[in-house]
Amino acid sequence: MEELCGTVERIVYTSPDGTFCVLRMREKDSGKQVTVTGSMGVPSQGESIMVRGCWTRHPRFGVQFKGQSMEVSKPETSDEIENYLASGVIEGIGPAMAGRIVAHFGKDTLHIMDENIDALLEVPGIGEKTLQKIAASYEEVKSTGELIMLLQKAGISPHIAMEMQKLYGEDAEEVIRNNPYRMLGEIPGLGFRDVDRLALANGTEREDEERIIHGMFYILSRYAVQGHCCAPERAVCYEASRMLGLDEEVLRHTAAEAISTGEIPSCQFEDMVFLYQPSLYEAETESVYRIRELLETTAEGSATLAIEKFEKKKHITLAPEQVQAVEAAMNSGMLIITGGPGTGKTTLIQAIITAAEQENREVRLMAPTGRAAKRLAIVTGRNADTIHKALEAELSDTANLFNKNEADPLDEDLIIVDEASMIDMSLFYHLISAIKPGASLVLVGDIDQLPPVGPGAPLKDLIAWGEVPVIRLQHIFRQGEGSGIIINASRVREGQVPQSDENGEFVFRKVSSEQEAFQQVMELCRDCHYEYDQNKLTMQVLSPMYKGICGVDHLNEAIQMAVHGSNEKITGFLPGDKVMQRRNDYEKGVYNGDIGVVWAVTDGKISVSYDDKEVTYEKEERRDIQLAYAITVHKSQGCEYDTVVMVLLPTQYVMLQRNLLYTGITRASGRTILISTDEAIAKAVATHKMAGRCSLFLPLLKGEALC
């Protein structure tokens, strides 16, 4: 373990959670610039730091210093002080002003600011108003000093201190010493492992009950990331005991007490106890009651005249299963419509809207993503919103709140949700909680696509239950453009290998190596003129994973360079870049998965043009977007493009699944180009039964689980 001291010159990269960073640092002794990486928090530009770690050689970027821990020290020399002040950490002082201040006071600058900040009035350009701004900001920075030291002992980033100071004020240190675990969920970017280190460093006992319970909730949150709503008690206790360094019996005893008091929610199924996070327990158990209420809703509307009117207007004849679906939508509290591409789901939605409006029933259209909602609006000619927007979601204390709920439900009589296979258990619960008594819900989705990114698979469970009316659309109606994609999607769904068609709507390009696949992708991007603005939103490159030569990260770097005609890697975003929003931002009105194009980069601000709005990102907000020339297949769910280039390789072994291949190739309406090997495609098509998600939603619906 070595120590490296110096000044932060530039932050190259910061992970979304604010724990990992790559920075350029000017070493104090040698004066050389050094690249430092590691999960050690994120300092500010200009700060003097001491990093403990070791030297490594990165295969692409050469020699780097891999940091294990970091401490921020007070700058001492005039140059260090000037860099510190120029970093922008103190409001009212920029690079030019920092130079003038240090030129006037030299290495005594910070001492002067500590003891007699009014002396700054001697510096040209600083008046009373600027002085007040500087003084207030500097006082705030100083007040976090002791707090920063406490955090540094536990290896936690100094920027967390500012968040704690804002939330807890003078009580911040008391919270750390006496009630540290309350910070979970209250301080963005602070996870259980961070808080646990902080708690132990400040006197919390290893067998403290609160530590154990929060540790178990952390284990459950890791299960949730993998798609599980709950987990067996034995598994949770085992994993938590290893993480916390405690005997498993201690965990079992604490868990039993917490279960008996309801502090840890639980259900019993097949002689096993399953533990939940409180929000997912509420989602699974309460959804069961909501669904039963919906199924009790009945209506006596007739769709016969509406169907005749719709068929005459569209010059079509609905298939028997489509007629059945329209009738069911008018007479049932809940209906599920499932089918692949080209099976008439969109036509059916239009027919249901016609029938509902004939009965003077108000309709609300929704979809899980912004692009899916926009597509639904285009094909129906009516307004459609994301589920989050329809439910008036907002972010408060790092949790989603939905203003439309049981107390203030949606006004509409019929709710139609497209791409329902993407809805996870939590969002499904909030959706059905917002449906008013007497209203109906129609869920439309393709059950053969990938499961939701979040926990659970409610659409799949509802179909398996058998009590909700389900219409399965199997006949392929769409002919002409895109039919080659539909035919091959059907092949994949039935376990057959896809094949190139005569019209070039589906092209299977076979490659022999990852490097050849990469060259094929880049060649297609050039041939399809991906750099043209009109093509950026109508074409999409898909890959199953982020890592690797043909992973999303490397493809984005390479395509960005090609688009801008650069021979070197580009740092950051440039005008014309295709980007994706990474999280729901209710204030800006952009949501996770929304894709736009950068139209301006000025003064540290990035302006992005989305379909219906322009959004500006500043400072930390820039982490909310990422390049989107290439995206994962999971991120593409609910989207539709004219052209899709999809890469699937043996090195992406863990992702070679039938539903992933099916989802990827069906994202295109005009042309899909699949770059793969015979081995990878055969593996993907053959891998049909995925590892199940731990959820008791179906047993609860059947009355087989006890809570």
Side-chain angles (χ1 to χ4, degrees):
M1 190 76 71
E2 298 183 45
E3 291 183 356
L4 206 63
C5 296
T7 304
V8 178
E9 293 199 334
R10 185 162 67 93
I11 305 296
V12 178
Y13 169 78
T14 303
S15 64
D17 61 2
T19 57
F20 179 86
C21 75
V22 179
L23 60 88
R24 298 272 194 271
M25 169 179 158
R26 184 69 62 182
E27 191 183 5
K28 188 173 183 178
D29 293 336
S30 67
K32 293 180 179 179
Q33 191 182 65
V34 176
T35 298
V36 179
T37 71
S39 298
M40 53 190 179
V42 184
S44 298
Q45 182 178 322
E47 283 189 317
S48 297
I49 60 173
M50 189 272 285
V51 184
R52 293 186 179 90
C54 59
W55 293 98
T56 62
R57 180 176 290 278
H58 190 279
R60 286 180 61 200
F61 304 118
V63 176
Q64 299 179 338
F65 192 80
K66 186 175 182 180
Q68 299 292 328
S69 65
M70 176 183 65
E71 292 183 10
V72 178
S73 56
K74 203 166 186 177
E76 297 175 352
T77 68
S78 294
D79 286 344
E80 288 176 353
I81 294 169
E82 183 174 344
N83 287 333
Y84 171 67
L85 296 178
S87 69
V89 69
I90 298 171
E91 189 177 358
I93 301 179
M97 183 62 73
R100 290 200 294 271
I101 293 172
V102 175
H104 191 81
F105 296 112
K107 62 181 182 180
D108 294 328
T109 296
L110 294 183
H111 175 73
I112 295 294
M113 293 179 68
D114 285 336
E115 301 298 329
N116 182 25
I117 199 165
D118 289 348
L120 291 182
L121 289 170
E122 301 171 14
V123 178
I126 296 183
E128 286 290 348
K129 190 174 181 181
T130 302
L131 176 65
Q132 290 176 13
K133 184 188 295 184
I134 293 172
S137 179
Y138 188 60
E139 190 62 35
E140 185 178 354
V141 170
K142 280 203 306 179
S143 67
T144 62
E146 291 185 19
L147 199 55
I148 287 173
M149 295 304 294
L150 278 176
L151 295 177
Q152 285 183 341
K153 289 178 183 177
I156 298 174
S157 173
H159 83 272
I160 294 293
M162 301 297 289
E163 297 292 333
M164 293 181 63
Q165 193 75 30
K166 289 177 186 175
L167 185 62
Y168 304 128
E170 297 178 356
D171 297 328
E173 290 187 37
E174 183 181 344
V175 169
I176 290 176
R177 299 185 193 281
N178 299 319
N179 192 12
Y181 296 99
R182 68 168 288 189
M183 292 186 288
L184 294 168
E186 292 185 349
I187 305 294
L190 202 57
F192 173 78
R193 291 183 182 275
D194 293 325
V195 173
D196 194 46
R197 287 200 310 273
L198 195 56
L200 292 175
N202 287 279
T204 297
E205 297 292 332
R206 299 183 68 81
E207 295 190 6
D208 183 88
E209 182 180 353
E210 190 174 3
R211 176 179 185 250
I212 292 172
I213 291 174
H214 280 288
M216 296 175 78
F217 279 139
Y218 173 68
I219 297 297
L220 286 167
S221 73
R222 294 201 318 201
Y223 274 102
V225 170
Q226 299 169 30
H228 305 295
C229 290
C230 55
E233 178 192 9
R234 286 177 296 180
V236 175
C237 288
Y238 172 72
E239 292 187 38
S241 68
R242 296 182 66 188
M243 180 185 71
L244 299 174
L246 298 173
D247 188 271
E248 194 174 341
E249 278 304 310
V250 175
L251 272 293
R252 288 185 179 279
H253 175 73
T254 303
E257 288 190 352
I259 289 170
S260 66
T261 61
E263 191 168 359
I264 298 181
S266 66
C267 287
Q268 188 168 343
F269 175 60
E270 293 184 344
D271 298 323
M272 290 179 64
V273 175
F274 292 82
L275 306 185
Y276 284 87
Q277 294 182 86
S279 60
L280 285 171
Y281 176 82
E282 181 183 16
E284 287 213 329
T285 55
E286 289 295 319
S287 290
V288 173
Y289 297 110
R290 304 285 182 194
I291 289 166
R292 295 192 186 281
E293 290 176 355
L294 275 174
L295 292 176
E296 291 175 0
T297 300
T298 57
E300 297 180 357
S302 173
T304 303
L305 292 177
I307 291 171
E308 292 177 1
K309 177 182 177 182
F310 180 78
E311 289 178 328
K312 185 176 181 180
K313 180 181 179 181
K314 296 290 185 179
H315 305 290
I316 60 173
T317 300
L318 294 179
E321 62 266 30
Q322 290 178 310
V323 172
Q324 182 186 358
V326 178
E327 294 282 1
M330 292 302 100
N331 294 282
S332 304
M334 189 172 185
L335 173 68
I336 294 174
I337 299 169
T338 184
T343 55
K345 296 192 297 294
T346 299
T347 300
L348 186 47
I349 290 174
Q350 293 173 318
I352 291 173
I353 293 171
T354 300
E357 290 181 342
Q358 180 175 288
E359 296 290 322
N360 293 319
R361 298 172 70 181
E362 194 172 350
V363 180
R364 185 71 177 268
L365 301 180
M366 304 179 195
T369 67
R371 291 187 67 82
K374 183 181 180 183
R375 191 175 77 249
L376 181 61
I378 290 172
V379 298
T380 60
R382 297 164 188 274
N383 183 55
D385 292 317
T386 63
I387 299 174
H388 283 84
K389 184 176 180 180
L391 300 184
E392 298 179 8
E394 62 182 41
L395 192 65
S396 177
D397 294 332
T398 71
N400 288 337
L401 295 179
F402 295 86
N403 291 310
K404 286 297 179 182
N405 47 43
E406 182 182 11
D408 183 17
L410 296 162
D411 295 326
E412 292 77 16
D413 306 297
L414 177 62
I415 311 300
I416 301 177
V417 184
D418 198 12
E419 297 288 353
S421 63
M422 297 177 63
I423 304 174
D424 62 28
M425 195 66 237
S426 179
L427 186 57
F428 178 75
Y429 166 60
H430 290 294
L431 171 65
I432 60 172
S433 295
I435 297 174
K436 70 179 183 181
S440 301
L441 174 65
V442 175
L443 299 174
V444 184
D446 186 346
I447 200 63
D448 294 308
Q449 289 189 32
L450 285 166
V453 174
L459 185 68
K460 179 182 176 182
D461 288 340
L462 288 168
I463 292 174
W465 182 33
E467 296 295 323
V468 177
V470 178
I471 303 297
R472 300 176 186 272
L473 304 177
Q474 297 177 322
H475 178 73
I476 296 176
F477 293 95
R478 190 195 302 170
Q479 301 297 328
E481 185 181 13
S483 59
I485 298 170
I486 295 169
I487 291 169
N488 276 287
S490 181
R491 287 181 191 274
V492 171
R493 189 172 59 244
E494 294 168 8
Q496 300 174 19
V497 173
Q499 301 175 2
S500 298
D501 65 56
E502 296 179 355
N503 298 324
E505 293 167 343
F506 185 92
V507 179
F508 180 9
R509 288 195 178 188
K510 297 182 182 180
V511 293
S512 57
S513 69
E514 200 167 12
Q515 187 61 44
E516 184 184 356
F518 172 73
Q519 295 299 333
Q520 290 269 2
V521 173
M522 298 306 295
E523 178 184 311
L524 284 165
C525 288
R526 288 191 296 269
D527 292 347
C528 294
H529 296 291
Y530 201 6
E531 74 275 14
Y532 291 176
D533 286 346
Q534 63 266 32
N535 293 339
K536 285 172 184 169
L537 298 182
T538 60
M539 175 178 167
Q540 187 61 61
V541 177
L542 301 180
S543 176
M545 303 176 71
Y546 282 97
K547 296 181 179 179
I549 295 174
C550 286
V552 166
D553 290 338
H554 184 242
L555 286 173
N556 269 321
E557 288 178 10
I559 297 172
Q560 184 190 37
M561 289 167 59
V563 165
H564 295 290
S566 173
N567 294 320
E568 296 182 1
K569 180 182 174 182
I570 299 168
T571 301
F573 303 101
L574 295 177
D577 275 338
K578 180 179 181 180
V579 295
M580 173 185 284
Q581 175 76 11
R582 302 173 64 164
R583 68 175 185 88
N584 292 333
D585 189 323
Y586 305 113
E587 288 186 10
K588 294 184 184 296
V590 285
Y591 303 96
N592 186 9
D594 284 355
I595 290 180
V597 176
V598 176
W599 66 271
V601 180
T602 56
D603 300 326
K605 299 179 182 179
I606 300 172
S607 298
V608 179
S609 176
Y610 291 97
D611 290 328
D612 56 350
K613 63 174 65 67
E614 291 179 355
V615 175
T616 298
Y617 299 85
E618 301 182 52
K619 297 180 181 178
E620 301 287 323
E621 295 174 342
R622 287 176 290 182
R623 299 177 187 172
D624 292 345
I625 55 175
Q626 66 183 50
L627 290 174
Y629 296 107
I631 62 175
T632 63
V633 179
H634 281 86
K635 284 288 189 181
S636 74
Q637 281 185 274
C639 300
E640 185 176 271
Y641 307 92
D642 292 341
T643 301
V644 162
V645 176
M646 180 178 178
V647 61
L648 199 66
L649 299 169
T651 52
Q652 299 163 335
Y653 189 85
V654 294
M655 302 300 289
L656 301 182
Q657 303 164 5
R658 188 186 299 181
N659 56 5
L660 182 135
L661 174 59
Y662 175 86
T663 300
I665 65 177
T666 56
R667 295 309 88 205
S669 59
R671 187 184 187 206
T672 292
I673 304 169
L674 178 63
I675 301 171
S676 188
T677 66
D678 287 331
E679 175 191 356
I681 293 299
K683 172 69 170 62
V685 169
T687 308
H688 180 45
K689 290 186 177 180
M690 300 297 100
R693 295 187 167 202
C694 195
S695 164
L696 297 186
F697 186 44
L698 182 56
L700 286 166
L701 286 168
K702 292 181 175 181
E704 297 173 352
L706 179 64
C707 293

